[in-house]
Amino acid sequence: MSSFVRVLYEFAGEAGSTEISISVGEILTVTRTDVGEGWWEGKNSRGEIGLFPAAYVEVMSAADVKQQQQRTTVEAQTAPNRYDQTADEYNDGDEWEDDWDEDNDTYSEIVPHNPSNNQVNSALHSTNDYDNKYLPTIPGDDTSQSLVLNANNNPTTLKKSSMFGKSSDSFILGMGNKDRIPDNELVLIVPLDNLYQWQPSHQHYTVVVASPKKESKFKGMKTFIAYQLTPSFNNISVSRRYKHFDWLHERLVEKFCLIPIPPLPDKQISGRYEEQFVEHRRVQLQEFVDWVCRHPVLSKCEVWYHFLTCTDEKIWKSGKRKAERDTYVGITYCWAISPPEKQLLQSYVDTQMDSCSQFIHAMDTAIRNLLSISNDVVKRYQTQIKKEYQRIGEGLSDLSRALLIDEKRAPSRNGNALSENVARIGDIFSGIGVQFGEQPKLDWIPFSDRLHIYRGILNSFPDILTTHKGAMQKKKDCERLAAEQKMSNTQLAEVNRRVDIVSYAIIAEITHFRFERETHLKQTLKLLIEEQIKFYSSIVSRLEDAYKEIE
């Protein structure tokens, strides 16, 4: 039985492309959901077949589907079944084409792939739910995802499911993958005053994301932007498309369920190849890369190094398959964590987790508020204030032209025409307006980009704390079994140790997040204030020039 969707938002397909235009309320027949992340292929009521944003539609219920089938006409059934006959030639042997055929969309959060729920996993995922306006939940979705609107009123999907399931139980009960852990997977946690931290890395490095360039394949039928990544430890550049970042993000989210993964840039449907958008995305990707480079665990993981260093296609494909078959993912990765032998006091753990929960909630609220304020300031600079100064400039220009009429009749005695002075002052005020319109690119937009990283990180902590609650509940269950003599004291001690590993890991991550804030957040505020000082100093200088015109 075919799958049907109802259009929630208008979308105008680009002329000459494989996209189709869709209207609100229109019913589409879905023909493919594996075209590429964020895009589905479907047929409209006019028999046209093409691509449309998956986030702009909702899947219809079984009853609606049955009614739609009854209304289906013979013309619709006989419509062409491919939007482009050359599509069969798309697979050029690129390993990536198995999963992604289009990287024109961007995402801020990708959840682990669920083979049984391809439709949901091919929809857009984002953590940027500023407006909190919920749309209908996708029918048949067992991961509790809800569609929301982000700051730009673009529909995105926010994952709200717990990561603590049967695999976590297996680890707590000691039934998971206990094979010898590879040395490169081992992670140490060490004491720090009254806290604990990931063992600091002594091999600090940076990665530069640069030179975004529009490229194409299939004789120009497919276009994309490629970015050059250059690690400081080898200075060898690699070319990566957005879908490569997308794949990396998915692997990191799946592997590290106790470590928040920074978000990728938000989705953009239109203007994908505009220079300003491409450069802004590069800056956002740089923020993502910088955050990973500074993390003592993420910066050393094998899949990250593969992403940064592999230049050979065959080795790339082999490493990609190896990462996708990795057995140390999710809570199972805890087998690779080696904390101190000291058993944690329950009161200490409870205090740490309660404090973390309160802090995350408070900071998340503050970051949301700052993002909203920042967006308002950007709009005011680029529209209201810009127009006000330009109106002042135009008003002064009108005054200058009026004065010129009389000066033509009787020239000024000192040879310094007032009309010229007023005209130059008007130009200065108009220039100030233009400067206000351009300024957010230097301060408030970069500030928002960094807050976006914090928003994504903070949004991950509730699931992490839920994971810990699940581990603590399993510990209580085992204590009850031990009291009933259904579990030996030795087994209970092993369970307690594995629960401690989860606790140690979360405390270490909370500590790292604190260190990160104390340096990164200070730097973020410093850059904002520095740019504001430069900006307003420039405004003062322009006004001083205007004052000199009438001295």
Side-chain angles (χ1 to χ4, degrees), residues 165-212:
K166 294 181 179 179
S167 61
S168 340
D169 291 356
S170 297
F171 168 72
I172 298 301
L173 297 176
M175 298 184 296
N177 187 350
K178 293 184 287 185
D179 298 335
R180 183 182 181 276
I181 310 295
D183 292 340
N184 63 330
E185 292 279 8
L186 293 176
V187 177
L188 298 180
I189 296 177
V190 296
L192 177 69
D193 299 329
N194 191 42
L195 299 173
Y196 298 92
Q197 66 174 353
W198 302 112
Q199 185 177 51
S201 174
H202 301 294
Q203 298 178 346
H204 300 289
Y205 63 90
T206 59
V207 177
V208 176
V209 182
S211 306

Side-chain angles (χ1 to χ4, degrees), residues 188-365:
L188 298 180
I189 296 177
V190 296
L192 177 69
D193 299 329
N194 191 42
L195 299 173
Y196 298 92
Q197 66 174 353
W198 302 112
Q199 185 177 51
S201 174
H202 301 294
Q203 298 178 346
H204 300 289
Y205 63 90
T206 59
V207 177
V208 176
V209 182
S211 306
K213 183 172 62 174
K214 185 177 181 180
E215 299 179 1
S216 64
K217 62 180 182 179
F218 307 122
K219 299 180 180 180
M221 294 183 64
K222 299 287 287 183
T223 57
F224 55 89
I225 301 295
Y227 302 85
Q228 305 304 309
L229 278 69
T230 309
S232 61
F233 56 75
N234 64 4
N235 289 320
I236 299 176
S237 296
V238 295
S239 180
R240 296 290 181 259
R241 294 164 60 178
Y242 189 86
K243 66 179 181 181
H244 301 149
F245 280 94
D246 196 31
W247 172 84
L248 170 71
H249 192 277
E250 181 181 356
R251 299 269 65 79
L252 293 176
V253 168
E254 184 175 15
K255 186 173 182 67
F256 300 104
C257 74
L258 299 181
I259 298 177
I261 306 302
L264 291 175
D266 279 333
K267 175 177 168 48
Q268 174 109 357
I269 291 294
S270 60
R272 297 184 288 265
Y273 302 120
E274 293 178 1
E275 183 177 347
Q276 182 176 343
F277 167 71
V278 172
E279 173 59 21
H280 185 209
R281 181 192 280 181
R282 183 200 66 77
V283 172
Q284 291 176 305
L285 291 174
Q286 183 70 66
E287 291 290 342
F288 167 81
V289 167
D290 289 346
W291 192 281
V292 176
C293 286
R294 294 192 298 266
H295 197 285
V297 177
L298 301 180
S299 63
K300 297 190 299 182
C301 73
E302 186 175 1
V303 66
W304 171 246
Y305 267 92
H306 181 67
F307 175 80
L308 290 181
T309 61
C310 186
T311 57
D312 182 87
E313 183 179 356
K314 291 184 178 179
I315 297 177
W316 173 261
K317 292 180 179 180
S318 175
K320 176 178 180 286
R321 295 190 187 99
K322 180 180 178 182
E324 290 167 352
R325 293 195 297 263
D326 189 359
T327 56
Y328 293 101
V329 297
I331 200 69
T332 307
Y333 182 75
C334 289
W335 289 112
I337 299 175
S338 179
E341 292 295 329
K342 178 183 176 182
Q343 183 176 355
L344 294 173
L345 294 175
Q346 187 62 50
S347 58
Y348 172 81
V349 173
D350 290 343
T351 299
Q352 290 293 319
M353 298 304 155
D354 290 344
S355 175
C356 175
S357 179
Q358 294 175 15
F359 161 71
I360 294 299
H361 175 73
M363 186 172 183
D364 181 60
T365 301

